[in-house]
Amino acid sequence: MSLHLKMIHRLNLSKTYQWNKAICPLLYPFFYHPISRLHGMRYKRPSVAPDNTPFWKKMHFNFEDGVKNIKKHFGLLLKEASNHLRGPGGKTLQQDILEQTSVMWEFRNSDDLQKWVVSSDLEIGGKSKAFLKLGSNSQTALFYGVLNSAVPRDGETNFSGYCTMRSTPPMGAFNRKLNYDWSNFNMLHLRIRGDGRPWMVNIQSEMYFSLSWDDMYNYFIYTRGGPYWQDIKIPLSKFFMTSRGRVQDRQYPLWPDKITTLGFTLADRADGPFQLEIDFIGLCKDQSHTEEFAYESYKSTPI
């Protein structure tokens, strides 16, 4: 597994693997999404029976809605084609090269909140609650709730107590899964106002093997609390790789051109209310930061 990832990273197959999207973009969802759904269905909440309802019984077809969706996706396809001809990400080549900063997410209306998904251990029988709404001035996002680390009494769950907000992956025409290309930047810029709790920033990139779909890159930030805003800049080289919450011995740098989601997780086992206010999430390029990766890689756990 680790050898395969190392070979792919050295050969830079992350760019040449896009043949299935480039050659047959309309057929790509039919191959990728069923596999990803099967991968996600491996988890089953304790004491809950699996849903064995055939997929054809869940389908509800409406001709009028079908025509609207076809027009919508062909419009998106034309927009993607024009952006691809214009330059990287729809920008000119000169603009892409000279770009030093970029705002990826900001929160100015309810539509911006629809790009995020909130979850907690309530999904596995826990008692934590999390909510997301616009701030008092409708210029920020307020992530708040109550953390409760009480373990569900189902006889299977051993740990509980987490709340998370996560961005939805970018989707293209015909429900194709796209990626964010951050290869032009080396810093993640957050403008936040917290309550003194430690938070974990999560970044996930697209992986090509089912064994690595649970891999995620993480970094911890510590909020000051109080009425003052914090401008936090995190080098992308500082993110370390984990799999299902466990730090891996063999570390690999983050692929900045294959980013799919970004999220914030609270799991400090300090029961009680919490809140995190976010102004914007952006990227910047620091010419003085030349570090490629901050961590050593081990073949096995050092003794």
Side-chain angles (χ1 to χ4, degrees):
M1 171 64 187
S2 59
L3 179 62
H4 289 169
L5 289 176
K6 189 173 182 180
M7 292 175 60
I8 289 175
H9 183 69
R10 287 187 174 181
L11 295 176
N12 196 19
L13 295 182
S14 61
K15 296 183 181 299
T16 59
Y17 191 82
Q18 299 299 322
W19 66 269
N20 55 352
K21 293 184 181 180
I23 298 178
C24 50
L26 301 184
L27 297 179
Y28 175 75
F30 296 98
F31 291 98
Y32 178 83
H33 290 292
I35 298 176
S36 62
R37 281 197 295 268
L38 288 174
H39 173 73
M41 290 170 59
R42 292 188 307 173
Y43 173 79
K44 181 180 72 69
R45 178 178 169 180
S47 69
V48 176
D51 184 8
N52 296 321
T53 306
F55 70 91
W56 60 83
K57 292 185 178 180
K58 300 179 181 180
M59 297 178 60
H60 301 281
F61 179 75
N62 183 283
F63 182 78
E64 184 178 355
D65 293 340
V67 173
K68 290 182 181 179
N69 285 330
I70 290 176
K71 292 182 179 179
K72 171 187 174 182
H73 287 294
F74 271 105
L76 291 174
L77 187 62
L78 291 176
K79 183 179 179 180
E80 290 179 18
S82 61
N83 289 339
H84 181 74
L85 294 175
R86 186 179 299 112
K91 299 171 289 188
T92 62
L93 183 60
Q94 181 180 6
Q95 181 183 358
D96 183 68
I97 294 175
L98 299 178
E99 190 176 32
Q100 300 293 315
T101 61
S102 176
V103 176
M104 298 301 300
W105 293 277
E106 57 183 357
F107 307 92
R108 302 297 181 260
N109 51 58
S110 58
D111 292 337
D112 294 333
L113 298 182
Q114 300 301 320
K115 302 176 183 178
W116 295 80
V117 177
V118 174
S119 63
S120 68
D121 56 50
L122 192 66
E123 299 177 352
I124 60 171
K127 299 180 180 180
S128 300
K129 297 180 180 180
F131 309 94
L132 182 65
K133 69 175 184 178
L134 288 175
S136 58
N137 57 356
S138 297
Q139 297 294 311
T140 60
L142 183 62
F143 181 47
Y144 67 100
V146 178
L147 188 70
N148 192 325
S149 57
V151 179
R153 298 182 179 180
D154 52 25
E156 299 182 31
T157 306
N158 297 321
F159 302 98
S160 184
Y162 71 88
C163 294
T164 180
M165 61 176 290
R166 190 177 185 182
S167 65
T168 57
M171 304 297 291
F174 299 97
N175 294 327
R176 293 180 300 113
K177 187 177 180 181
L178 305 179
N179 306 310
Y180 296 111
D181 187 358
W182 295 358
S183 56
N184 197 36
F185 307 96
N186 59 4
M187 292 278 182
L188 181 67
H189 187 182
L190 309 174
R191 181 168 173 80
I192 61 175
R193 180 163 58 181
D195 54 0
R197 288 174 177 261
W199 289 79
M200 184 166 61
V201 183
N202 314 308
I203 296 180
Q204 192 166 26
S205 59
E206 183 179 7
M207 298 295 179
Y208 305 121
F209 302 101
S210 60
L211 293 176
S212 59
W213 280 351
D214 292 319
D215 294 349
M216 188 174 293
Y217 288 83
N218 308 273
Y219 189 81
F220 287 95
I221 59 175
Y222 298 89
T223 58
R224 290 196 300 256
Y228 300 105
W229 288 92
Q230 288 180 258
D231 283 284
I232 301 177
K233 293 184 179 180
I234 309 172
L236 297 181
S237 61
K238 299 292 186 182
F239 284 85
F240 56 90
M241 189 177 71
T242 63
S243 180
R244 297 187 179 181
R246 295 180 174 86
V247 181
Q248 300 300 292
D249 296 326
R250 297 298 299 269
Q251 292 287 323
Y252 298 93
L254 174 69
W255 291 350
D257 60 333
K258 310 297 293 181
I259 305 299
T260 56
T261 63
L262 181 140
F264 299 88
T265 300
L266 177 67
D268 60 354
R269 303 188 68 82
D271 295 353
F274 68 88
Q275 69 174 26
L276 178 68
E277 193 171 3
I278 307 174
D279 185 2
F280 67 85
I281 303 170
L283 299 165
C284 60
K285 186 174 183 178
D286 186 355
Q287 300 288 354
S288 63
H289 184 79
T290 58
E291 182 182 57
E292 295 183 1
F293 194 53
Y295 307 101
E296 298 180 356
S297 180
Y298 301 97
K299 294 183 179 180
S300 60
T301 305
I303 299 177

